[in-house]
Amino acid sequence: MAFEPSESAVDARRSALPGQFLGGLAALLRFALVTAGTFLGLLAITFFIGRVVPIDPVLAVVGDRASNEVYEAARQAMGLDRPLIVQFFAYVRDVFTGNLGMSISTGRPVAEDLGRVFPATLEMATIGILIGVLLGVPMGVLAATRQGSWVDQLIRVLGLLGYSVPAFWLGLVGLAVFYAGLGWVAGPGRIDIFYEGIVEPVSGLYLVDSLVAGEWDIFWNALDHLLLPASILGFFSLAYIARMTRSFMLDQLGHEYVTTARVKGVPERRVIWRHAFYPIRIQLITVIGLSYAALLEGSVMIETVFSWPGIGNYLTNALLTADMNAVLGATLVIGAVFILINKISDVLYSILDPRARR
């Protein structure tokens, strides 16, 4: 006869459902409030950065030869004659309506420019983090299980190089060796010029859009251009992930339950991946999230070296031309992405570790 729960147990479960629902609703509300507060703080920081930098946004528009009348008219049109707190609330309103102002250097809305350049950075950083995770995690585990061996030393040296080698130098060396010397990869840029405009941009990701359109020549050309810069970003990500994975694994391998499993005759592969690696998944989520955010916001040098039309290159050009609307818009997007990735990491953390939900 199949086991059937008693009526008291069923009633207890039913009475617990409203409490679980309210608890989940409270957690969701708390998550939304924390996210909104963090984003509001980011808005305040970007706004006041735009007001304290020694660049006059009015002069950037009218030029230094404009008359006082023209200068004052432009200042009033830009709302800079109003009190600072009024300017801030107007800035918040514009941001939430998608108005980031006009770019001086391109003559287009900043939001339109960011929608065009951000997918390029996202594509490169995503391939880079995939390389970092797929190679860095196994390398960290291998180094921990072979502690003190030549394999461990080699992986630690690679990690040290990832921390110490300048990104621009590695990019230039990569171009000189693999593009100019060996011809294994394509050169700077995101795609060859005669392929531009053939595929209708849908997601802004060349690999995805070319696959959807069935343009395999464009797909392989875009991948050829992407391979070297993404691999360099992946190397820096790999160094960080491998180092942290090694550290976490060494800590787990020293615990008594791992020793007990080995004494009981549990296969070494199961000891490593089930008993030692399984508990560090939560820590690795945080590490991978931080590494991914760092690639998205810190790829300025790589984008400059490879003439990659991403948000880092856009931000650099905006700084050189004193285009403050573009600078603040790009800074805001980078900060928002960082917040989003951290919040996604928190959600995954709570899914994998029930203790975090309390």
Side-chain angles (χ1 to χ4, degrees), residues 40 47 83-96:
L40 187 62
F47 173 78
L84 202 60
I85 188 67
V86 177
Q87 294 182 42
F88 174 68
F89 283 113
Y91 174 70
V92 173
R93 181 199 62 210
D94 289 341
V95 168
F96 278 103

Side-chain angles (χ1 to χ4, degrees), residues 145-165:
T145 55
R146 302 289 189 272
Q147 185 182 11
S149 67
W150 67 270
V151 175
D152 182 28
Q153 298 298 332
L154 177 61
I155 293 175
R156 293 175 66 184
V157 169
L158 288 175
L160 181 62
L161 289 175
Y163 273 91
S164 57
V165 175

Side-chain angles (χ1 to χ4, degrees), residues 4 13 17 22 28 66 73 85 92 97 116 135 189 213 225-226 231 325 342 347:
E4 295 183 0
R13 291 179 183 177
L17 287 178
L22 291 176
L28 181 62
I85 188 67
V92 173
T97 56
R116 176 176 50 85
L135 296 181
H225 281 269
L226 180 64
S231 297
N325 284 338
N342 275 276
V347 172

Side-chain angles (χ1 to χ4, degrees), residues 37-292:
T38 307
F39 187 71
L40 187 62
L42 175 64
L43 286 175
I45 292 173
T46 55
F47 173 78
F48 287 108
I49 285 176
R51 296 304 181 269
V52 301
V53 292
I55 297 175
D56 190 339
V58 180
L59 286 179
V61 174
V62 302
D64 55 0
R65 295 186 179 182
S67 63
N68 290 334
E69 292 78 9
V70 174
Y71 179 90
E72 287 299 328
R75 186 167 179 269
Q76 291 179 10
M78 297 172 69
L80 298 178
D81 60 326
R82 295 178 291 178
L84 202 60
I85 188 67
V86 177
Q87 294 182 42
F88 174 68
F89 283 113
Y91 174 70
V92 173
R93 181 199 62 210
D94 289 341
V95 168
F96 278 103
T97 56
N99 180 18
L100 300 177
M102 297 292 294
S103 170
I104 300 171
S105 54
T106 66
R108 292 189 295 265
V110 173
E112 180 182 327
D113 285 342
L114 293 174
R116 176 176 50 85
V117 300
F118 182 72
T121 299
L122 179 64
E123 189 171 45
M124 182 170 61
T126 301
I127 300 299
I129 195 64
L130 287 175
I131 293 173
V133 172
L134 294 178
L135 296 181
V137 171
M139 286 172 62
V141 173
L142 182 62
T145 55
R146 302 289 189 272
Q147 185 182 11
S149 67
W150 67 270
V151 175
D152 182 28
Q153 298 298 332
L154 177 61
I155 293 175
R156 293 175 66 184
V157 169
L158 288 175
L160 181 62
L161 289 175
Y163 273 91
S164 57
V165 175
F168 73 90
W169 181 84
L170 193 59
L172 291 173
V173 171
L175 281 174
V177 174
F178 297 106
Y179 167 59
L182 300 174
W184 288 357
V185 296
R190 199 175 175 196
I191 200 171
D192 287 346
I193 191 170
F194 48 84
Y195 284 129
E196 291 183 357
I198 296 178
V199 174
E200 184 71 23
V202 178
S203 65
L205 308 174
Y206 277 11
L207 296 182
V208 175
D209 291 344
S210 58
L211 278 178
V212 171
E215 296 286 351
W216 288 99
D217 290 342
I218 298 178
F219 172 82
W220 291 115
N221 185 261
L223 182 63
D224 202 18
H225 281 269
L226 180 64
L227 187 60
L228 184 56
S231 297
I232 294 175
L233 284 183
F235 172 69
F236 292 116
S237 175
L238 176 152
Y240 176 60
I241 293 174
R243 178 173 175 268
M244 298 306 296
T245 303
R246 178 183 182 275
S247 177
F248 296 151
M249 284 293 294
L250 286 177
D251 178 65
Q252 292 297 321
L253 291 172
H255 286 183
E256 292 182 357
Y257 65 84
V258 174
T259 305
T260 302
R262 284 172 169 165
V263 170
K264 289 182 176 180
V266 177
E268 186 66 15
R269 181 184 296 273
R270 183 175 177 83
V271 170
I272 293 172
W273 292 104
R274 177 64 181 175
H275 295 274
F277 180 78
Y278 195 80
I280 73 170
R281 296 172 305 152
I282 299 169
Q283 296 165 293
L284 282 180
I285 286 175
T286 303
V287 169
I288 293 170
L290 291 174
S291 182
Y292 189 32

